[in-house]
Amino acid sequence: MGALLPTGASAESATDAEASAHPVVASYASDYGVGLAEAQRRLARLPEMQDILAALRAAEPERLAGWGIDHDGPMTAWVWLVGTNPPSSAAAAIAASHTDVEIRTGAKVTFASLAAAQDAFGVGRGIGAAGNTGAADATQIDLSDMLTHTAVDLRANALEIGIDLGAAPTAPLGALDPGQGQSPTGPLGTTGDVSNSSSGTLDLIAQLLASHLSVPYNVIEAEPVEAETAFEGSHRMKNGLAVCTSGFTVYHRSTGRYGLLTAGHCDEDTYRAQGTTLTFESRQYGRFLDAAVYLIPSGQSHQVTNKVICVNNYATQSICSIRSIESSRLKMMDMPVCRSGTNSGVSCGTVNNVSYLPNPDEGCDGIGGPCAAVYVQATGPTMQSCRGDSGGPVYSGNSAYGIHNGSNSGNDCDLLGVSIYFSAIGRVTSILGVDVVTFGPTNVP
């Protein structure tokens, strides 16, 4: 912040006229109701305060709960410690040598505990019981469609969880993601309706999280983060109870628009993905293909990338780049592939058939029509799949292979050794008139 001082001025000698030369000084003075010279003095002091706070954090690593600088009233730097015991002698000595530095005690949990809980919470998907976040069990809840952010609130000594109420279900909330076909219920332990008011929804989410988080937390209403979205594969696409997975990002040739691939039997007019509503453009749900493309809104500063989620243990996601497509279905035989879906995560296996003819109960058109032997099958000891994964990307290394259509899992998301089948990407791009994005990020015009 020293660079904010006008040339030749010091914190002590700066006049209001000199200080007004820099917009940061004027902004600080307006924000905190001080004169320009006082704003200049404080800005010059801030780097020193940050160094002092760093020294205090290093002196109290086991008890550190929070830190910050109060700008309203007298500017004061502070560190907050867990418990009510006095600070260490080293920390006390540091604070005692500065009149504008305080050590506060009485916090409930450490910063490290809050940061670990935030990391385990991830994007609010597959949240398990407290102490076992991410476990695959019946107590999981899913907030990913309505979560705007999480943050470690150093002043509140709590995890902040932001919720977009516009994306919350209108039906009574329960598991919050009845993607497996079950009906939503009320708060845990009940089946009653809940208030659909804003406060009622936030209160219910807070109740639902009580057995899933072991640190203090605050559920707040927040605006959705929609602008400048970078769209990529492997994300949840949702319309009410209808859940699918986005495949690869694509360029739609005839419209000149960008979009997301998914399965053709995902047949809603719109889907909400990554905080944005996508509109249907075209699909083929029939004998030779099960794929669709949904367009990303134009003129909203969105971006598309060539990424898909390639490792997912609920808490941590790794992203891989798609740089090419395997246009020949016949060249896929015995190739290792992976697939990612929003309900079962990422799993991998080997292609074992390139002339696969599936025969699902609903046929290849939803009304019992037959399939052709143009689908690809893959299986392996750790392959998984279940409802809601449809439309997700199938890939080998950095090459797109296809769009996931179905499996023999019996809708058991935890079953291993599943066989999946998918529409080969060459047929998808040819029939739907799209090109898979193999570069990026690029802006959506």
Side-chain angles (χ1 to χ4, degrees), residues 52-68 77-95 101-112 114 154-157:
I52 296 166
L53 289 177
L56 287 172
R57 294 197 298 271
E60 291 283 3
E62 302 300 323
R63 297 179 59 194
L64 181 67
W67 66 92
W78 52 269
V79 163
W80 199 6
L81 304 180
V82 169
T84 57
N85 291 332
S88 66
S89 57
I94 294 171
V101 176
E102 295 179 355
I103 296 178
R104 303 167 182 174
T105 59
K108 300 292 186 182
V109 293
T110 64
F111 167 73
L114 290 171
L154 296 178
R155 283 182 164 79
N157 193 216

Side-chain angles (χ1 to χ4, degrees), residues 78-151:
W78 52 269
V79 163
W80 199 6
L81 304 180
V82 169
T84 57
N85 291 332
S88 66
S89 57
I94 294 171
S97 62
H98 303 279
T99 58
D100 54 1
V101 176
E102 295 179 355
I103 296 178
R104 303 167 182 174
T105 59
K108 300 292 186 182
V109 293
T110 64
F111 167 73
S113 297
L114 290 171
Q118 181 186 30
D119 184 59
F121 195 88
V123 294
R125 179 183 300 134
I127 305 301
N132 194 27
T133 302
D137 58 34
T139 66
Q140 283 188 351
I141 62 174
D142 193 319
L143 296 177
S144 58
D145 287 324
M146 62 186 83
L147 183 77
T148 65
H149 72 279
T150 65

Side-chain angles (χ1 to χ4, degrees), residues 5-6 8-21 25 35-38 40:
L5 289 169
S10 68
E12 291 77 16
S13 64
T15 65
D16 281 1
E18 289 172 328
S20 65
V25 178
L36 292 172
E38 172 63 8
Q40 183 86 0

Side-chain angles (χ1 to χ4, degrees), residues 10 34-35 41 50 74 135 144 179 187 226 261 305 312 338 340 372 410:
S10 68
V34 298
R41 183 196 70 79
Q50 294 290 1
S144 58
E226 296 186 1
L261 289 177
T305 78
N312 181 0
C338 294
S340 49

Side-chain angles (χ1 to χ4, degrees), residues 248-271:
F248 305 101
T249 53
V250 293
Y251 175 78
H252 191 254
R253 299 174 204 140
S254 64
T255 63
R257 300 269 301 276
Y258 285 96
L260 287 172
L261 289 177
T262 191
H265 65 262
C266 300
D267 57 356
E268 303 295 328
D269 290 336
T270 62
Y271 277 103

